[in-house]
Amino acid sequence: MSPAATSSTLTLTPHPAEGTPPGIEVVANYLLEGNQLMLDYRICGAINQLNLPPVATPRRVDGLWKHSCLEAFVREGSGPAYQEYNFSPSGEWACYQFTEYRGQPEQPACEAPSVKLHTEANGMSINCRISLPSSRPIHIGLCAVLEDQLGALSYWALHHPAQKADFHHPDAFVLEVK
């Protein structure tokens, strides 16, 4: 994703009740073209403090959120249904459909997202592309789970509406795309 084609940079913040690896910053850019949502997550700083999975064959894998991964939660209109997308720095991915807040997740047939990792001098970027439904508006929550070298997880998002980290919370879908 070229910088000229992206929106402004959005900063993800760690949940205040959780531990945070020092010297880390997480930012994201997005671009919507038709029904294609392109996301560019950047993890900047001391990424050597993070436990990052090795690059693997891109495929659907459950449980990515238990380790370092980037996430996008997408809700069409104002209804309770939403999709959860997980993108691992390994290239693996997951997609879930919820009909209500924290309902029983389904694994819908979905087009495999594109997930590409780029290592940089002061961090890394993960570029993702997913196909979205064509109806608008769409509300999005951008998030990250980062695992440190000791296995502790930190939870990053555009907005933390609850006292405990909860990416599924309806008020976490703060980015509106028309």
Side-chain angles (χ1 to χ4, degrees):
M1 192 182 312
S2 68
T6 61
S7 69
S8 61
T9 300
L10 304 168
T11 301
L12 279 64
T13 58
H15 193 278
E18 307 290 335
T20 304
I24 297 290
E25 178 182 35
V26 181
V27 296
N29 288 297
Y30 74 93
L31 175 66
L32 183 65
E33 289 183 340
N35 72 332
Q36 296 293 301
L37 178 64
M38 288 147 292
L39 301 168
D40 179 24
Y41 294 92
R42 295 182 187 276
I43 303 171
C44 306
I47 63 169
N48 61 335
Q49 295 183 43
L50 300 177
N51 185 19
L52 299 171
V55 174
T57 301
R59 63 189 175 103
R60 188 178 207 152
V61 175
D62 285 328
L64 295 175
W65 51 269
K66 296 177 182 178
H67 303 283
S68 293
C69 81
L70 295 305
E71 301 188 10
F73 287 76
V74 179
R75 182 181 70 225
E76 294 177 62
S78 60
Y82 61 96
Q83 295 84 38
E84 173 185 351
Y85 297 91
N86 301 157
F87 314 106
S88 173
S90 69
E92 297 167 319
W93 58 274
C95 174
Y96 305 96
Q97 172 72 42
F98 294 84
T99 57
E100 61 185 359
Y101 171 67
R102 288 205 171 272
Q104 181 64 35
E106 298 175 14
Q107 292 188 355
C110 68
E111 184 179 322
S114 168
V115 182
K116 296 180 181 174
L117 172 68
H118 304 280
T119 304
E120 302 165 354
N122 66 339
M124 61 189 276
S125 65
I126 295 99
N127 306 111
C128 312
R129 179 186 293 250
I130 56 177
S131 295
L132 296 176
S134 58
S135 63
R136 302 286 185 267
I138 293 175
H139 303 272
I140 302 170
L142 298 178
C143 322
V145 176
L146 297 180
E147 181 180 24
D148 70 17
Q149 291 292 333
L150 300 176
L153 300 176
S154 59
Y155 302 92
W156 303 67
L158 292 175
H159 177 63
H160 295 284
Q163 290 183 358
K164 184 177 177 185
D166 184 359
F167 298 155
H168 294 257
H169 194 287
D171 293 340
F173 296 69
V174 295
L175 180 60
E176 184 175 358
V177 180
K178 296 183 180 189

